[in-house]
Amino acid sequence: MSSPEAFPLGIPSLGYGAANVGNLFRALSDDEAWAVLDAAWDSGIRYFDTAPHYGLGLSERRLGAFLQTKPRDEFVLSTKAGRLLRPNPEHAGGLDTANEFHVPDDLQRVWAFSADGIRTSLDESRERLGIERIDLLYLHDPERHDLDLALAEAFPAMEQLRADDEVAAIGIGSMVADALAAAVRSADLDLIMVAGRYTLLEQPAAVDVLPACRETGTGIVAASVFNSGLLASNEPRRDGRYEYGQLPDALWDRLVRIAAVCADHGVPLPAAAIQFPLQAAEVQSVVVGGSRPAQLQQNAEYAALEIPAALWEHLASERLIPATA
């Protein structure tokens, strides 16, 4: 893995996305969350990504408590801006399961793209993390609120934070290729987090996002590389979840073909999923999640597995990945 000392040009090639320790999909105790983070660290992971959105601040608090026990110059830390956490006047003892997080919904997310809002978001993330220096700040899902406003106000505010040495680098995190490309072409970004749009299964970001990054010298962090878990095992399941609905037939057929090619080359499907994005020169890091220590250990092993070039050539010849990947 890359050394974080060269950041932002040399961000570690494998990172941990800490949504799971914010109780994404299922509740973890503090001890269970710590064990997951411990496994990530022991597996050599030195890039950690979080967000206020993840568990209404729980992910930042848990990750920060863990990283406070580690030397600050040995890891890269990113979080996100754009949503402030404020008291929820409608809280009646429920959970935030509408957003897939098993935490009390005593807080609500409030969009904030102004200069004051972006700075407040950074300051409040620092407080929850208990860590003053945040290396990389992404604007989180701006297209879900107002992309034009983000381009006009939020990104200039983030550029000023970088100029003031408040953060080392800035970017956008999104699963919408059009929003990613627009941000890369309109703002002076260092890195972008492409969630689920450049994976072994589907590569819509290859059309415009990667060329935009190539033109501007913007790096890419690939996230959600298992496509909601579809690529997380050697034998995909037809009833697997695809984003917010059922897996389309065309993607299922594509998945079956990809799995067969991997099997022909003796390469575990999850290993190919982790390493595929890194075949593109623009991609500097792959961020994986996980709610169990064994998952983190296994993902680190997959990331280090030697994969023959013949696999990528075979997949390209079948038009399952771009020929230039």
Side-chain angles (χ1 to χ4, degrees):
M1 299 174 202
S2 306
S3 168
E5 283 78 6
F7 179 82
L9 298 178
I11 190 169
S13 59
L14 182 65
Y16 176 65
N20 289 109
V21 298
N23 287 1
L24 179 65
F25 302 134
R26 70 184 186 96
L28 298 180
S29 68
D30 288 345
D31 287 345
E32 288 173 324
W34 191 282
V36 169
L37 295 169
D38 231 357
W41 187 273
D42 289 346
S43 298
I45 291 174
R46 294 294 183 270
Y47 170 37
F48 296 85
D49 174 71
T50 183
H53 174 62
Y54 301 157
L56 293 169
L58 180 62
S59 173
E60 286 186 320
R61 292 194 297 273
R62 282 175 164 172
L63 178 61
F66 175 79
L67 291 178
Q68 287 174 49
T69 69
K70 306 301 180 186
R72 183 60 189 90
D73 61 352
E74 291 187 11
F75 62 86
V76 170
L77 173 62
S78 63
T79 191
K80 304 181 182 75
R83 294 177 175 101
L84 299 177
L85 303 180
R86 295 295 178 261
N88 179 8
E90 299 181 2
H91 175 61
L95 299 177
D96 188 42
T97 50
N99 293 291
E100 305 286 1
F101 291 100
H102 290 251
V103 297
D105 62 353
D106 54 342
L107 297 174
Q108 61 181 343
R109 301 162 179 86
V110 178
W111 291 105
F113 283 2
S114 68
D116 286 345
I118 296 297
R119 180 171 287 275
T120 298
S121 181
L122 175 61
D123 288 342
E124 293 180 357
S125 285
R126 285 168 167 159
E127 184 176 354
R128 283 187 294 268
L129 287 158
I131 296 174
E132 181 66 18
R133 192 177 99 230
I134 293 172
D135 299 297
L136 170 58
L137 185 67
Y138 296 108
L139 190 65
H140 202 182
D141 299 330
E143 74 288 342
R144 296 190 183 185
H145 177 51
D146 189 331
L147 182 60
D148 289 337
L149 183 62
L151 296 175
E153 296 189 18
F155 287 121
M158 293 170 67
E159 290 172 10
Q160 187 61 52
L161 287 175
R162 181 183 58 196
D164 293 341
D165 291 326
E166 296 285 348
V167 293
I170 61 171
I172 175 178
S174 174
M175 59 185 297
V176 177
D178 289 347
L180 290 160
V184 169
R185 296 188 188 281
S186 301
D188 181 15
L189 306 182
D190 300 291
L191 289 161
I192 65 171
M193 179 170 281
V194 180
R197 300 282 75 90
Y198 192 69
T199 73
L200 184 62
L201 181 59
E202 51 182 346
Q203 306 92 33
V207 176
D208 198 19
V209 179
L210 266 68
C213 288
R214 196 174 304 125
E215 294 166 13
T216 58
T218 306
I220 293 174
V221 175
S224 302
V225 296
F226 290 141
N227 277 103
S228 303
L230 293 170
L231 299 168
S233 61
N234 284 315
E235 297 183 3
R237 292 175 50 182
R238 183 65 183 85
D239 59 352
R241 181 177 65 246
Y242 175 71
E243 295 183 357
Y244 302 107
Q246 294 182 334
L247 179 64
D249 289 340
L251 271 184
W252 168 249
D253 293 342
R254 186 182 186 88
L255 178 57
V256 170
R257 292 173 61 200
I258 290 170
V261 173
C262 288
D264 285 347
H265 291 267
V267 174
L269 180 61
I274 289 174
Q275 294 194 35
F276 163 73
L278 293 166
Q279 305 309 301
E282 297 78 17
V283 178
Q284 297 188 19
S285 181
V286 169
V287 166
V288 295
S291 61
R292 294 176 174 84
Q295 292 173 326
L296 273 297
Q297 295 160 358
Q298 183 68 82
N299 286 338
E301 291 175 7
Y302 284 147
L305 184 70
E306 185 172 347
I307 292 181
L311 172 68
W312 310 123
E313 294 166 0
H314 190 170
L315 288 168
S317 71
E318 297 287 335
R319 298 188 177 182
L320 294 169
I321 61 173
T324 56

